[in-house]
Amino acid sequence: MAAIPDHDVVHGADHAHDHHLTGLMRWLTTTNHKDIGTLYLWFSFIMFLTGGVMALTIRAELFQPGLQIVNPEFFNQLTTMHGLIMVFGAIMPAFVGFANWQIPMMIGAPDMAFARMNNWSFWLLPPAALLLITSFFAPGGAAAGGWTFYPPLSVQMGIGMDMMIFAIHILGASSIMGSINIITTILNMRAPGMTLMKMPMFVWTWLITAYLLVLVMPVLAGVVTMLLTDRNFGTNFFNAAGGGDPVLFQHVFWFFGHPEVYIMILPSFGIVSEVIPTFSRKPLFGYSSMVYATASIAILSCIVWAHHMFTAGMPAVGQLFFMYGTMLIAVPTGVKVFNWTATMWRGSMTFETPMLFSIGFIFLFVIGGFSGVVCAIVPIDVQVQDTYYVIAHFHYVLVSGSLFAIFAGAYYWLPKWTGHMYDETLGKWHFWLSMFFFNLTFFVQHFLGLAGMPRRIPDYALQFADFNMISSIGAFGFGTTQLLFLYVVLKCICGGAKAPQRPWEGAKTLEWTLPSPAPYHTFETPPLVK
């Protein structure tokens, strides 16, 4: 019986195969983790711009009261597709791109564990994205009242809804395959001597994220399949007229949906935990507590789903359980924020673009966290449920959270990926413009929500006009600013200054396991030497 070739030989053959091919075939058949990471990142950026155009159409419609640009049905489709594309098409693939690029290099592996499956898990995404976007043109469209597509509305839509369900199945399959690959790579392919508690934080956050994905993606697949059979095969899972329960859908959906929010934020924590020590010239403070906090957040995220449903009718004891559980997540999150702050404390800080985005991330993410605690309090949530306050809250978590961390990671690793330095001045412009326009867009939405403006409406009362105008101006500024990011990246790829061996001058390579060194004393002047 022929001997099975070892992993390195197989991958050597695969990579040689990659290099012989050129043009389109190289990218279609590549099993190289770096090429696949690049594909994920470009795909996510294209989807980010697509979802962004939809968001700008929404904001253009809301620039002033009355119906200006789109009809209400199309407006509903825009809100649905903007959410789905940003979640499944932009944020998640971007983080998988980072994982593909960085994890093998960070743990000393030659490639990902399942190189061909890695290729397949990427190439499922473009057809799924195509299905999602073409559902716009199908009869009825995918206007199922937001990315949560609650029944009974989603049971009554046309064929566009079936296309959307199929797209979600394909996207979920891609996520599960990517996660299995990441878990196997991290657990089985670390360099000798790299124990779990010596791994970089980015690897830890992705290991925990991948377990979450494997746990909750099949739940989403199950609930959309139940929806599909309700629509086409006469079952009555969610049809009250046939003895079903629409609220059951909400429970099953949010059992996926809430961990999903943490799937989009945990890799951000990992990126920020790599960037801040570098530009503080200090090891990460409290490494092991960061690992345990990340795991705690992931576990807690699975038992708080019904805080999305405080207004759906729930016994008081249930409301209290989910309220306290939700508030408890603030504890490990606070540990992380404290550790980042302690890492920067008394460090030799410099403020290159990745560091600016990381500090912006912490500052704005904490605001999003505070508004999340506000939404966790049942009597307040009953008032702000389905208003613009909730929109403001989750955009502070997902835009200034996930997206800012993606920018931080992109600028941080661009010199490693391309061999060139990006334009630092333009990078800083990108940060400050993003920061300004983001807050202009979303901060005023807190006030709109508290004043009672509902979400997902194309028209509104005159009293909301001024804040909506400010929000729309901010949105167009923020959207335009992202074209600057595209320019910076393309300029870098096409040949910025050659990156030195250590691109971040003075940022020495640090052991991840070192505890943060205690100062010799706590005085401003040196103590007397005995």
Side-chain angles (χ1 to χ4, degrees):
M1 186 174 150
I4 297 169
D6 73 79
H7 186 278
D8 291 0
V9 174
V10 172
H11 276 280
D14 266 350
H15 287 193
H17 169 73
D18 288 348
H19 293 312
H20 289 154
L21 294 170
T22 53
L24 183 63
M25 280 311 290
R26 173 195 159 189
W27 293 102
L28 280 173
T29 60
T30 182
T31 53
N32 182 326
H33 71 99
K34 298 177 181 180
D35 283 352
I36 294 168
T38 304
L39 286 168
Y40 267 109
L41 289 165
W42 277 113
F43 171 81
S44 79
F45 192 73
I46 291 164
M47 287 288 101
F48 173 60
L49 293 181
T50 308
V53 167
M54 293 176 187
L56 293 185
T57 312
I58 291 168
R59 286 311 328 168
E61 176 57 58
L62 294 172
F63 185 74
Q64 58 189 38
L67 295 174
Q68 280 84 237
I69 298 166
V70 295
N71 63 38
E73 289 77 16
F74 189 67
F75 185 90
N76 275 347
Q77 289 183 51
L78 285 172
T79 57
T80 303
M81 300 309 276
H82 164 69
L84 286 169
I85 284 171
M86 287 305 201
V87 170
F88 294 107
I91 301 292
M92 287 171 69
F95 284 132
V96 180
F98 280 112
N100 264 298
W101 252 104
Q102 291 304 128
I103 286 175
M105 295 195 286
M106 282 179 158
I107 63 172
D111 201 299
M112 298 296 277
F114 308 114
R116 295 177 200 280
M117 187 167 86
N118 204 13
N119 173 286
W120 190 28
S121 68
F122 171 76
W123 283 109
L124 284 176
L125 292 179
L130 208 63
L131 259 177
L132 259 186
I133 292 164
T134 49
S135 69
F136 263 123
F137 308 104
W147 78 284
T148 52
F149 47 93
Y150 283 173
L153 192 60
S154 52
V155 176
Q156 297 157 0
M157 303 306 305
I159 194 173
M161 188 69 211
D162 294 313
M163 293 168 71
M164 192 174 104
I165 290 171
F166 189 30
I168 288 169
H169 267 300
I170 300 172
L171 291 162
S174 166
S175 289
I176 290 170
M177 287 199 293
S179 301
I180 292 169
N181 210 345
I182 287 166
I183 291 169
T184 310
T185 305
I186 294 171
L187 294 186
N188 293 340
M189 295 175 63
R190 299 191 304 284
M194 178 171 276
T195 61
L196 286 175
M197 291 310 280
K198 287 184 180 175
M199 296 194 310
M201 267 314 297
F202 180 70
V203 181
W204 256 119
T205 54
W206 245 116
L207 178 63
I208 292 165
T209 301
Y211 271 111
L212 267 185
L213 273 165
V214 170
L215 175 71
V216 302
M217 271 296 167
V219 176
L220 178 67
V223 81
V224 295
T225 305
M226 291 158 81
L227 193 61
L228 194 72
T229 59
D230 268 15
R231 290 171 52 77
N232 298 298
F233 302 111
T235 58
N236 284 308
F237 290 113
F238 311 126
N239 180 11
D245 184 4
V247 178
L248 172 66
F249 177 91
Q250 297 187 25
H251 278 290
V252 186
F253 177 86
W254 283 116
F255 185 80
F256 148 80
H258 195 76
E260 167 63 30
V261 176
Y262 289 91
I263 286 161
M264 290 189 282
I265 203 68
L266 291 182
S268 306
F269 293 164
I271 291 171
V272 170
S273 298
E274 300 298 329
V275 173
I276 284 177
T278 300
F279 295 100
S280 303
R281 277 85 193 166
K282 274 174 64 185
L284 182 67
F285 179 90
Y287 170 88
S288 54
S289 66
M290 283 296 231
V291 173
Y292 296 132
T294 308
S296 307
I297 289 170
I299 292 162
L300 285 170
S301 76
C302 297
I303 58 166
V304 296
W305 74 88
H307 66 209
H308 296 269
M309 302 165 49
F310 282 152
T311 55
M314 193 186 303
V317 67
Q319 290 183 330
L320 285 173
F321 171 83
F322 288 106
M323 179 169 92
Y324 293 142
T326 306
M327 289 174 152
L328 202 56
I329 293 187
V331 177
T333 311
V335 168
K336 297 182 95 63
V337 173
F338 176 83
N339 285 4
W340 290 322
T341 312
T343 305
M344 292 187 277
W345 180 253
R346 301 186 68 144
S348 305
M349 289 171 70
T350 52
F351 298 97
E352 287 86 349
T353 309
M355 186 63 158
L356 288 175
F357 270 109
S358 295
I359 294 171
F361 162 91
I362 294 172
F363 178 67
L364 296 177
F365 178 77
V366 167
I367 294 176
F370 277 135
S371 63
V373 171
V374 170
C375 290
I377 302 166
V378 176
I380 299 179
D381 186 72
V382 169
Q383 295 299 315
V384 298
Q385 171 78 19
D386 275 336
T387 69
Y388 263 77
Y389 191 89
V390 179
I391 303 249
H393 156 66
F394 70 70
H395 281 87
Y396 263 84
V397 175
L398 289 179
V399 180
S400 65
S402 302
L403 189 63
F404 272 32
I406 287 168
F407 288 145
Y411 283 114
Y412 183 56
W413 284 310
L414 262 176
K416 185 170 195 64
W417 294 345
T418 64
H420 301 291
M421 292 301 288
Y422 62 87
D423 187 320
E424 187 64 60
T425 309
L426 288 179
K428 287 189 164 118
W429 269 105
H430 174 222
F431 168 72
W432 287 111
L433 288 170
S434 293
M435 191 80 167
F436 174 74
F437 284 123
F438 168 79
N439 283 292
L440 194 66
T441 307
F442 293 108
F443 200 76
V444 296
Q445 292 185 4
H446 291 104
F447 308 143
L448 285 171
L450 290 172
M453 180 173 165
R455 56 195 284 200
R456 299 181 189 140
I457 53 165
D459 191 11
Y460 52 86
L462 203 56
Q463 72 203 56
F464 305 127
D466 293 347
F467 282 145
N468 268 298
M469 185 178 285
I470 292 168
S471 190
S472 291
I473 291 167
F476 276 89
F478 186 78
T480 310
T481 302
Q482 304 326 309
L483 298 176
L484 178 61
F485 174 65
L486 177 62
Y487 174 72
V488 171
V489 171
L490 290 174
K491 185 181 174 188
C492 177
I493 292 170
C494 297
K498 192 164 167 39
Q501 192 67 33
R502 286 184 181 164
W504 308 118
E505 198 57 53
K508 57 184 185 296
T509 308
L510 296 163
E511 285 294 328
W512 294 292
T513 51
L514 287 177
S516 190
Y520 296 115
H521 55 83
T522 53
F523 312 107
E524 291 303 325
T525 53
L528 294 170
V529 179
K530 290 180 182 173

